[in-house]
């Protein structure tokens, strides 16, 4: 965030306006120039497999020491896209299977049909 004003007019606060239960902004204020970081505030609310896969954050910088009525603001929209991690193991649709085969079965005879394994991770 950059404010080209000088003195008290260059002082501003930085406010995250959306998803404040999940993310936070640092620093919360600046003078003329601030390098802003968006940080995860509550990791337990982020889950690619069972939750929201993307967030749109609204960030606002507000002059806080200019005279009332003359305080200007700047805003930015930030897109946050979650990346799935490999946190699930593949699972078969049953833990055991039983099939019969004739002792006269030809070489290459298929014994199984319907055995499936799934993995809820993406990719």
């Amino acid at each position: 965030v950059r404010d080209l004003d000088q003195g008290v007019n260059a002082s501003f606060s930085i406010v995250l306006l959306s998803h404040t239960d999940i993310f936070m902004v640092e620093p919360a204020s600046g003078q003329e120039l601030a390098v802003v970081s968006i940080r995860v505030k509550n990791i337990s609310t982020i889950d690619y497999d069972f939750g929201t896969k993307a967030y749109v954050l609204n960030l606002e910088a507000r002059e806080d020491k200019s005279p009332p009525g003359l305080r200007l603001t700047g805003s930015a929209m930030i897109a946050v896209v979650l990346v799935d991690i490999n946190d699930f193991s593949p699972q078969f649709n049953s833990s055991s299977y039983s099939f019969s085969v004739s002792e006269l079965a030809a070489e290459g005879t298929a014994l199984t049909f319907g055995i499936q394994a799934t993995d809820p991770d993406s990719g």
Side-chain angles (χ1 to χ4, degrees):
V1 178
R2 185 176 190 166
D3 190 335
L4 297 175
D5 290 325
Q6 294 182 3
V8 295
N9 292 332
S11 178
F12 52 88
S13 58
I14 305 163
V15 181
L16 185 62
L17 301 174
S18 55
H19 302 291
T20 57
D21 57 325
I22 303 169
F23 301 99
M24 59 189 239
V25 62
E26 289 182 349
S29 62
Q31 180 77 27
E32 293 181 22
L33 178 66
V35 177
V36 177
S37 295
I38 303 295
R39 298 188 183 275
V40 176
K41 179 179 180 180
N42 187 351
I43 192 70
S44 67
T45 59
I46 297 177
D47 190 323
Y48 182 93
D49 299 303
F50 300 107
T52 304
K53 293 176 178 38
Y55 297 88
V56 176
L57 307 180
N58 297 305
L59 189 64
E60 188 173 85
R62 302 173 180 164
E63 290 183 336
D64 53 8
K65 294 186 180 172
S66 298
L70 298 176
R71 294 181 182 165
L72 302 175
T73 63
S75 61
M77 182 184 75
I78 300 158
V80 178
V81 179
L82 297 185
V83 176
D84 193 19
I85 61 167
N86 188 17
D87 54 349
F88 286 101
S89 300
Q91 300 290 317
F92 286 99
N93 57 354
S94 180
S95 60
S96 65
Y97 298 89
S98 177
F99 298 96
S100 299
V101 62
S102 167
E103 64 181 316
L104 299 176
E107 188 175 306
T109 299
L111 302 181
T112 62
F113 296 97
I115 295 177
Q116 296 178 342
T118 58
D119 187 338
D121 289 317
S122 65

